[in-house]
Amino acid sequence: MKDVRRKVRRSQTIVPFGVGGIIDIRGESFVAADIRSWAANGERVESARLARKLRVDGFRSAPVIPSGKAAWATRIGPTYVRFPKWLFCPRCRAMQLWRPDREERDKQPVCGRCTGRPQLAPMRFIQVCRAGHMADIDWHRWAHSRSDGHDQRQCQVRRLRFLATPESSGLEALRVTCVACRAGRSLAGISRKNILEQVTPRCPGTHPWHSGTDEADPCEEPPQAVQRGASNVYFPLTHSAIDIPAPAGLSEDDESTQKVVHHALWPDFTSAENGPMSDALRTVIANQCELPEEFVETVRRRHADGAASMPAAADSDDDLSIAEWAAFSAPESVADSKTFSVRRTRLGVAHDDPGSMQELAAGISAVVVADRVREVRALEGFSRYEPGSGDGERDEGGRLVSVNTQDRAKWLPAMETYGEGIFLAVDEERLCAWERRPEVRDRTRRIERNLDASFKADRLRGKTGPELLPRFVMLHTLAHHFIRQLSYDSGYNAASLRERVYARSHAPGSDLPPQAGVFLYTAAGDAEGTLGGLVRQGQPPNLVETLIRLLESAQWCSQDPLCADSTGRSLANLNRAACHACTLLPETCCEIDNSLLDRTLLIGDGEVPGFFRGVVRAALEESAGVVELS
């Protein structure tokens, strides 16, 4: 493979141009190869909690080539393979099946027949299958698939043209024809399901980056023709975790302890207790930190005691949410570190403030601002044509393809980001009383029935827990409106903010603490983090004003009454009163694909009482009073 370089951001190597994703650059189209292509050049990313959840040895991020030094850099980033390989000249319309040996460094493919050597354009349609495979459509067979004559059916000449006729419009105007036998077929109907059965009865079972030595997967799925830029070509499955430091009892302010805890081998050392590598790892850490081995062992023992005092999780998903919920809801229990600094603040509502603020303060139990947080985002795999559930075994949805398509992935591509955020916890007593109301339970049950019938049920249950609680839908909707309001108040656009909803249910008999909160944060790829806009909005008097405004704006939607009266919206009817005009966010913001949203559970309507209905009513009465006085 020739060394042909293009630029891509490190964060984009996870989403949206991670393994299996298609990227368009200056009229060229490429697909990201699997992690075998850049294993030797990856930079290690530490996240022990996330590694345990995903059952991998660790994470690596793509290497960064210094700006202006790409031509001399010895390190290379992830490999991107030109795809589709079928290209056509926009001037003479001749189609070419491109070969890697024709690549020239820093040059685009051009037509050698036309004067001026115009750049070749990639074909618009490709084929994918539910098993995650992707390939070029066999355009030669497509052009001859409706041939009548014997000579056309037996034609082996692979000289094709991609014509655009002015006599018709749409896909009927586009036609692939054979130069030798004049056989041809338009693209009309190419988007229909199973249209390729007469052209390619079976999926080849390959990925665009497979070499001649890679064995194809046996695949029985029928290939489907889709547009190269369609949203169902690539569904990445990503995971993220906030870096939570050790309990405060470890005295992390001590410089020696900091050295040990932040050593690169610390996660391996803590997980290898009583194992054959424990003594060797302790010796290496002690020597490199210039500390006694007894001190290193003491830090590990105190770390284990602190971790044991925290609630045990029932499954791997609980491990992440429980530790994060404990750190945010009780910031005094963890010590500040270089990657995690939080402090408790307040709404700042006084006794003589308006009734809407008093009502809001009664429903919010805790406010915490995070001056600095570190998040690790990892890419586990992807699916095509239909989103996969993540287990690769269910019939619903597409199959999850690992980032290593030839072997078990021992490490995953990831990136670390630094940022700031605001954490809100809702009063548990008020929330439980609200959840017991029959109208609230009935509305949530109807959403849960749609959830059980959805192909995304397994993935969403990983966030909601075994039962969908009303608090999850309400808090998730609150997080979306919070982000939309912060995009006006904080200086960040909505696409740069992210959410984490802590409202999952637990198995019956579990002693895990209940969760009821949201964390809104921004995370950037730069190690310096962000500029403090969210932290400022999380302090009085800004926060209470932001919350009042977002609850007032949640009452109105330009799609009402269709939006407010909806009995099922979005994919699989997983939303109720929520649409693009009022609630939905860019995909990078939401952790569950803009699902399980309902403004009614947030602010209420004539039949269902929203959790913050009292705040909205008080705000409306105050506004009416001001109007009457004026």
Side-chain angles (χ1 to χ4, degrees):
M1 185 175 296
K2 290 190 175 182
D3 182 14
V4 180
R5 299 186 179 184
R6 302 290 187 271
K7 293 181 180 180
V8 62
R9 285 176 173 267
R10 171 185 273 183
S11 60
Q12 294 176 330
T13 61
I14 307 301
V15 173
F17 307 132
V19 174
I22 294 179
I23 178 175
D24 288 310
I25 302 178
R26 294 177 296 177
E28 299 178 278
S29 178
F30 302 91
V31 62
D34 64 6
I35 59 175
R36 293 176 297 162
S37 63
W38 55 289
N41 303 297
E43 299 176 3
R44 184 166 179 170
V45 176
E46 300 294 340
S47 181
R49 295 170 56 243
L50 190 58
R52 285 194 297 269
K53 172 188 174 180
L54 301 179
R55 298 180 177 89
V56 293
D57 297 338
F59 306 98
R60 299 179 189 177
S61 64
V64 174
I65 298 178
S67 177
K69 298 182 179 180
W72 300 276
T74 57
R75 298 183 301 171
I76 61 172
T79 298
Y80 287 78
V81 178
R82 189 177 300 280
F83 179 82
K85 291 183 173 61
W86 274 107
L87 312 175
F88 72 93
C89 174
R91 185 176 302 174
C92 69
R93 311 301 292 186
M95 295 176 60
Q96 300 184 32
L97 184 61
W98 197 256
R99 300 189 308 272
D101 58 3
R102 301 178 62 183
E103 296 283 0
E104 297 184 33
R105 184 182 177 95
D106 297 331
K107 292 184 178 181
Q108 294 82 16
V110 295
C111 179
R113 302 177 183 178
C114 299
T115 58
R117 298 173 63 85
Q119 179 180 338
L120 298 179
M123 290 296 290
R124 185 189 305 179
F125 285 88
I126 59 175
Q127 69 177 37
V128 299
C129 78
R130 293 172 71 251
H133 301 119
M134 184 168 67
D136 281 273
I137 293 176
D138 191 337
W139 292 112
H140 178 267
R141 297 188 65 175
W142 177 269
H144 295 80
S145 59
R146 291 186 174 175
S147 301
D148 297 328
H150 175 76
D151 293 340
Q152 289 182 337
R153 290 196 299 268
Q154 299 298 322
C155 180
Q156 299 298 320
V157 179
R158 294 185 174 271
R159 291 182 58 194
L160 304 174
R161 297 184 71 195
F162 184 48
L163 303 178
T165 59
E167 289 80 11
S168 56
S169 60
L171 293 179
E172 294 181 357
L174 302 177
R175 186 177 183 85
V176 178
T177 62
C178 177
V179 175
C181 67
R182 303 301 179 184
R185 181 178 177 181
S186 74
L187 300 190
I190 194 172
S191 299
R192 290 203 305 265
K193 190 173 183 179
N194 299 329
I195 191 67
L196 295 181
E197 285 187 346
Q198 54 184 310
V199 179
T200 310
R202 274 188 158 189
C203 172
T206 60
H207 301 282
W209 55 85
H210 275 181
S211 63
T213 59
D214 290 331
E215 184 178 354
D217 300 328
C219 183
E220 301 295 331
E221 293 287 343
Q224 309 291 344
V226 296
Q227 291 200 53
R228 176 169 46 89
S231 59
N232 62 346
V233 170
Y234 184 60
F235 296 101
L237 179 61
T238 59
H239 304 270
S240 66
I242 299 293
D243 193 8
I244 303 299
L250 287 182
S251 301
E252 295 227 28
D253 290 335
D254 181 75
E255 184 178 353
S256 299
T257 304
Q258 288 271 15
K259 286 183 179 180
V260 175
V261 172
H262 290 97
H263 192 277
L265 296 177
W266 173 254
D268 299 327
F269 180 53
T270 55
S271 61
E273 188 173 4
N274 300 324
M277 294 295 296
S278 179
D279 294 340
L281 292 171
R282 180 175 59 244
T283 301
V284 172
I285 294 175
N287 291 339
Q288 293 184 359
C289 295
E290 298 180 352
L291 296 169
E293 291 189 29
E294 294 79 8
F295 179 82
V296 176
E297 183 63 33
T298 300
V299 174
R300 178 172 69 172
R301 189 163 52 248
R302 291 160 64 187
H303 176 273
D305 294 341
S309 65
M310 298 188 69
D315 55 49
S316 58
D317 287 310
D318 268 335
D319 284 335
L320 299 182
S321 65
I322 286 295
E324 293 173 10
W325 168 255
F328 286 123
S329 60
E332 307 83 10
S333 64
V334 293
D336 286 351
S337 69
K338 294 180 179 179
T339 60
F340 190 82
S341 176
V342 296
R343 52 191 169 89
R344 190 183 296 274
T345 183
R346 56 191 178 85
L347 283 176
V349 177
H351 295 292
D352 55 348
D353 281 334
S356 60
M357 294 185 178
Q358 301 285 350
E359 186 71 20
L360 179 64
I364 302 296
S365 61
V367 179
V368 176
V369 293
D371 296 289
R372 187 171 176 84
V373 292
R374 173 180 176 266
E375 181 195 28
V376 175
R377 305 174 196 167
L379 176 65
E380 182 182 4
F382 63 89
S383 57
R384 302 198 191 278
Y385 196 66
E386 294 177 355
S389 61
D391 56 14
E393 298 176 356
R394 292 173 57 92
D395 292 333
E396 298 88 349
R399 191 187 76 186
L400 181 69
V401 180
S402 173
V403 291
N404 187 336
T405 55
Q406 294 296 309
D407 198 0
R408 187 188 78 85
K410 297 181 180 179
W411 59 272
L412 298 178
M415 63 171 295
E416 59 181 355
T417 57
Y418 295 83
E420 54 175 332
I422 306 171
F423 172 81
L424 293 179
V426 178
D427 184 76
E428 182 66 28
E429 184 177 349
R430 279 197 168 206
L431 192 60
C432 289
W434 172 74
E435 286 184 314
R436 287 194 292 267
R437 303 192 64 156
E439 310 96 315
V440 174
R441 293 202 307 269
D442 292 343
R443 190 171 181 91
T444 308
R445 286 197 194 101
R446 290 195 292 269
I447 300 176
E448 189 165 24
R449 283 196 292 268
N450 293 126
L451 173 59
D452 291 334
S454 169
F455 60 85
K456 299 199 297 183
D458 289 345
R459 181 180 178 186
L460 296 181
R461 288 294 187 190
K463 298 293 184 181
T464 67
E467 179 186 0
L468 178 63
L469 299 177
R471 67 177 66 190
F472 187 94
V473 181
M474 185 273 293
L475 287 170
H476 188 207
T477 310
L478 173 66
H480 275 233
H481 283 273
F482 203 176
I483 288 178
R484 292 170 73 98
Q485 189 63 44
L486 285 172
S487 67
Y488 298 112
D489 298 341
S490 67
Y492 295 109
N493 60 53
S496 65
L497 302 177
R498 292 169 62 87
E499 66 171 11
R500 299 182 85 85
V501 180
Y502 301 101
R504 71 176 287 134
S505 59
H506 303 302
S510 172
D511 58 352
L512 294 172
Q515 301 177 1
V518 294
F519 180 52
L520 289 308
Y521 63 102
T522 179
D526 196 310
E528 297 300 323
T530 45
L531 302 176
L534 283 191
V535 169
R536 181 176 181 180
Q537 290 302 127
Q539 297 175 344
N542 299 325
L543 181 58
V544 65
E545 296 175 358
T546 298
L547 292 173
I548 294 291
R549 281 198 297 270
L550 75 87
L551 292 174
E552 290 177 336
S553 65
Q555 301 174 84
W556 310 106
C557 174
S558 60
Q559 299 295 324
D560 283 340
L562 296 178
C563 178
D565 298 339
S566 172
T567 57
R569 279 177 171 264
S570 185
L571 196 63
N573 292 328
L574 294 178
N575 291 339
R576 290 300 184 266
C579 69
H580 284 283
C582 62
T583 305
L584 303 191
L585 292 172
E587 292 182 0
T588 55
C589 303
C590 182
E591 59 180 354
I592 55 173
D593 306 326
N594 277 319
S595 302
L596 306 179
L597 296 164
D598 186 9
R599 285 186 296 135
T600 301
L601 291 180
L602 180 67
I603 58 172
D605 60 10
E607 299 178 358
V608 180
F611 182 77
F612 289 101
R613 182 174 62 175
V615 180
V616 175
R617 283 184 173 178
L620 290 177
E621 292 174 358
E622 293 162 8
S623 300
V626 172
V627 172
E628 290 177 0
L629 290 175
S630 61

